[in-house]
Amino acid sequence: MMAEAEGEAAPSEEQQNQLRASTSGPGDNQPAARTECTEEPAAAGGAPRSPPCAFPAELAPDLFKFRKFFVLRPGTLNQAIKNVEALVNKEVDGSILSIWLMAEVDHWNNEKERLVFITDNSLLVFKYDFVMFNCDQLQRIPLNCVDRISHGTFSFPKPSLLQREGEGVRVFWDRLREPSFTSRWNPFATDFPFITFTYHPVRDIGDTFAALCDIQNFREQLRDAAQKVHAMKPVPGKANGVLVLNQQIHIDVYVGLMSFIGNQNKLGYCMARGNIGF
């Protein structure tokens, strides 16, 4: 009896092998190092799923650069327009006809982000802070004072080191007044009788921004609105009508180191720059 009890407590080597075979799977004898984590396809024979992209494929290399513009943040542009609309004087400006997102180019070739409204009676240019949601400056130009609109490529003096690609639109409202010598050499002067616009960098993002930044359509609507105001509210002693010229937009800058650095780094736009937004 003692021999039988000891035999039950200690199974034979053959019984141990059978027990191991019944509890192990066919792949248990494979090395653990061969275990791999692979991405399963979305469907049989299909490629792995990739995250959706909100921008066109051709803009993929510039995706991060465009995301830095605060005007592209969800709801930012709508809130900006709502805030700026409250500054429109209905008695002076009338109703809003169209809204535009532009880049102003000053007499020293500095680019500055602008919201532009065409109303019944005025051209309104807003310097808006898309970071703090605040309007910092408003320039009001009566449409019955607009006497000339020129459009074309940009030009610089022959000795100038600067170059600017693309087209621009320049709006004049006092053809008899020329900027003074002091104003030409003052980078902060604001008494020029004209203003220059060009495309905003985000115009290629999609159809919505392409329409908001279309300077050709802006030029046509501004001309029509100004012609209408000239007929209804003529200025005494001033020739009525708007002259539209297809000619180069000249910027009288020779070195422009400050504008070169500022434009290369987009200092005139509200953008994310590390932990600081300008």
Side-chain angles (χ1 to χ4, degrees):
M1 294 294 295
M2 290 293 296
E4 291 179 0
E6 291 176 358
E8 291 177 359
S12 64
E13 182 178 354
E14 182 179 358
Q15 290 175 333
Q16 292 177 4
N17 291 337
Q18 291 178 355
L19 180 62
R20 283 195 296 266
S22 63
T23 57
S24 62
D28 284 354
N29 57 346
Q30 298 297 325
R34 294 177 61 91
T35 303
E36 298 179 358
C37 180
T38 58
E39 183 177 6
E40 297 182 358
R49 225 176 289 151
S50 59
C53 181
F55 296 91
E58 60 270 17
L59 292 178
D62 295 328
L63 181 61
F64 181 75
K65 179 182 71 175
F66 282 116
R67 280 183 173 175
K68 290 183 177 182
F69 288 92
F70 277 95
V71 71
L72 297 179
R73 302 294 172 92
T76 297
L77 182 59
N78 292 335
Q79 183 62 45
I81 293 174
K82 182 179 179 181
N83 294 347
V84 169
E85 284 179 342
L87 302 177
V88 177
N89 190 328
K90 297 294 184 180
E91 297 181 358
V92 177
D93 305 315
S95 300
I96 300 172
L97 301 179
S98 57
I99 299 172
W100 308 88
L101 179 64
M102 299 286 187
E104 179 186 345
V105 182
D106 68 8
H107 60 293
W108 272 47
N109 194 42
N110 296 297
E111 290 183 15
K112 304 172 183 179
E113 192 171 35
R114 295 292 183 261
L115 274 175
V116 183
F117 283 17
I118 298 178
T119 68
D120 289 332
N121 304 317
S122 308
L123 174 65
L124 304 177
V125 183
F126 300 92
K127 178 184 178 182
Y128 190 84
D129 186 345
F130 290 99
V131 181
M132 301 302 296
F133 292 98
N134 181 57
C135 181
D136 295 330
Q137 181 182 335
L138 164 61
Q139 183 177 6
R140 175 178 285 105
I141 304 166
L143 290 182
N144 59 350
C145 292
V146 174
D147 49 39
R148 184 163 35 121
I149 301 174
S150 61
H151 62 96
T153 57
F154 291 94
S155 66
F156 295 86
K158 289 184 179 180
S160 177
L161 302 177
L162 295 176
Q163 295 293 330
R164 172 179 286 278
E165 298 180 355
E167 299 180 354
V169 171
R170 179 168 287 174
V171 182
F172 298 83
W173 54 84
D174 192 350
R175 69 178 67 184
L176 300 178
R177 181 167 63 91
E178 291 292 333
S180 65
F181 177 83
T182 305
S183 296
R184 290 181 183 275
W185 289 98
N186 180 6
F188 305 105
T190 58
D191 59 344
F192 282 78
F194 59 81
I195 189 169
T196 307
F197 298 107
T198 190
Y199 292 107
H200 194 287
V202 303
R203 70 185 180 104
D204 293 325
I205 291 297
D207 294 338
T208 300
F209 284 96
L212 282 171
C213 305
D214 189 349
I215 61 173
Q216 295 182 0
N217 194 15
F218 164 77
R219 181 191 75 228
E220 295 174 357
Q221 293 195 27
L222 178 61
R223 177 203 60 197
D224 294 341
Q227 292 280 23
K228 184 177 180 181
V229 178
H230 272 286
M232 297 177 58
K233 300 178 180 179
V235 178
K238 184 179 178 68
N240 293 320
V242 180
L243 183 63
V244 179
L245 300 175
N246 184 0
Q247 62 183 15
Q248 288 186 321
I249 309 296
H250 187 71
I251 301 178
D252 197 18
V253 178
Y254 290 86
V255 180
L257 179 62
M258 185 176 69
S259 65
F260 176 80
I261 296 174
N263 294 340
Q264 287 293 320
N265 294 279
K266 296 290 188 292
L267 297 182
Y269 299 86
C270 292
M271 296 182 65
R273 311 175 197 277
N275 294 327
I276 303 176
F278 292 96

